[in-house]
Amino acid sequence: MRSVSGEGLFSGTYAAATTSFAAVMFLTGFAALAVVPTLPMAARDLDGVSLFPLVAGCFVAASLLGGVLGGHWADRAGAQRPLAAGTALAVVTLLVSAASTSIWQLAAGRFLDGLAGGMVAVSINTAVGQAYPDRLRPRVLALMSTCWIIPSLVGPPLAGLVAEWWSWRVVFYGLAALTVLPTLAVVAVLRSRSWSAAPVPSGEKPPRPALMVATAVSLGAASGQYGVSGWSLRHLLFAVGGLALMGVFAPRLLPPGTWRAARGLPATVLLRGMSSGVFFTLEALVPLLLVTDRGVSPVSVGLLFTGAAVAWAGSSWVQGRLLERCPRHRLVVIGAVVLAAAVVVAVVGTLPALPPFVAASSMVVAAVGMGLLAPALTLLSLSHAPPGRQGSASGAMQTNQNLGQITVLGVSSGLFNACLGAGTTDSAGYGAAFGLLLGPCLLAALLAIRTRADGA
């Protein structure tokens, strides 16, 4: 990469740090994306299909806590410690998941993995802000984003191939082994005297309530996921307790008026959560349907994730290039309608007489809708943010994206388990769970006008 005034990302002081950060982000993305196609196989082998939504939701719930914890720690003591702790924890969590003897151990591993992933991502961004000069920050942040491209294309099918040839456990063990060297490199770089990433001095220490709120929300989300996995007094208590925690503490992390879709930033944040929840639920339940009910191979499921990634990227390019003059709120409407079409395809694909390809294609169609909708909502959130508060707006978008994923998946999973408890077939249960997703899609299309930017 070309140097800027003699100081490029890979020259002199920043060479080792940039290389180590890029390697960590690459393997973090690889681990986050590669294990997803193998999780349905793991849940089936561990006799925990009913708890699969808990396994999927734990990662998201913990990543919310990990992001807040990493940012809070980095602001108080510098990015070195949370980054080193997060990378080391990532290796441990992969080993915990690989050695799972029960679905509960796998869920614990995924929760810790989400915690580590959130800490790593936030800590790297913080380290960039604390130690790189202004002229290099855009380049290094762009490089960190680029490090997710190859994992999104190669990771899922490669993991599916390894799982089919050997075992899903080998995927976790292999990722743990690959992550050890970058982890040691990051620790060595951060301990070197040439690297300086101290917290930015300020007149007061960062407040602690945000960390406590995030902890309560994460615990509430995990409790709710378990609560909807069965029908008993114990499950009911967990569901009610989780819902209460989220209801009390989640609004503190979001702009006022989010739940009532107030015009501007609140409506934009709300729609981000709803749309992400629909896509995440399809991404979790469609592979589970294909693996446990249709007998589709892990390789094919992995290729499905690659196809969805390509569709998302292509759709995002179209909205940014060919549709750049279209008002963003109209792109939100179009994306929500496409997302609703994907839900219909998923419902139809649950019919036993149809080939698995029909249900699988719903993920690709949904990715097209999200490629249109997600960037439009991001731009709208920045346009609605008060001057100097773009960071807070972005944080609220990310927080509600996680909350939406957890909530929508939990409600759909609860309906799925209720159908199974009533004696229906698996196909009927999946059809009901997918059909429920039409509500958020149509509501997002109707509420899109509330995200309209001034002058659009």
Side-chain angles (χ1 to χ4, degrees), residues 13 26 28 60 69 89 120 165 189 195 227 231 236 302 324 326 328 369:
T13 306
F26 178 87
T28 298
V60 180
L69 175 61
L89 182 60
V120 167
W165 282 358
V189 168
W195 177 255
W231 295 94
L236 178 62
E324 60 180 342
C326 181
R328 298 295 101 179

Side-chain angles (χ1 to χ4, degrees), residues 368-413:
V368 172
M370 288 299 293
L372 294 172
L373 184 149
L377 286 175
T378 299
L379 290 174
L380 286 168
S381 71
L382 295 176
S383 67
H384 290 308
R389 299 296 302 275
Q390 286 84 358
S392 298
S394 298
M397 291 283 282
Q398 181 65 35
T399 297
N400 206 45
Q401 173 179 305
N402 292 346
L403 291 174
Q405 291 173 352
I406 296 166
T407 303
V408 176
L409 176 62
V411 174
S412 296
S413 301

Side-chain angles (χ1 to χ4, degrees), residues 36-129:
V36 175
T38 67
L39 290 178
M41 292 183 61
R44 182 187 61 192
D45 293 347
L46 297 173
D47 296 325
V49 173
S50 64
L51 288 171
F52 178 78
L54 175 64
V55 175
C58 272
F59 182 89
V60 180
S63 64
L64 187 153
L65 174 58
V68 176
L69 175 61
H72 179 81
W73 194 353
D75 285 342
R76 295 177 66 89
Q80 297 99 319
R81 294 179 182 179
L83 181 54
T87 52
L89 182 60
V91 178
V92 174
T93 59
L94 289 168
L95 294 176
V96 170
S97 298
S100 295
T101 58
S102 68
I103 194 68
W104 290 104
Q105 184 176 342
L106 182 63
R110 294 301 290 161
F111 186 89
L112 293 175
D113 199 15
L115 188 67
M119 290 176 61
V120 167
V122 171
S123 298
I124 286 181
N125 289 339
T126 304
V128 171

Side-chain angles (χ1 to χ4, degrees), residues 35 78 81 85 97 135 138 177 181 200 216 240 281 291 369 377 406:
V35 301
R81 294 179 182 179
S97 298
R135 61 180 175 274
L181 287 179
V200 178
V240 172
T281 302
V291 171
L377 286 175
I406 296 166

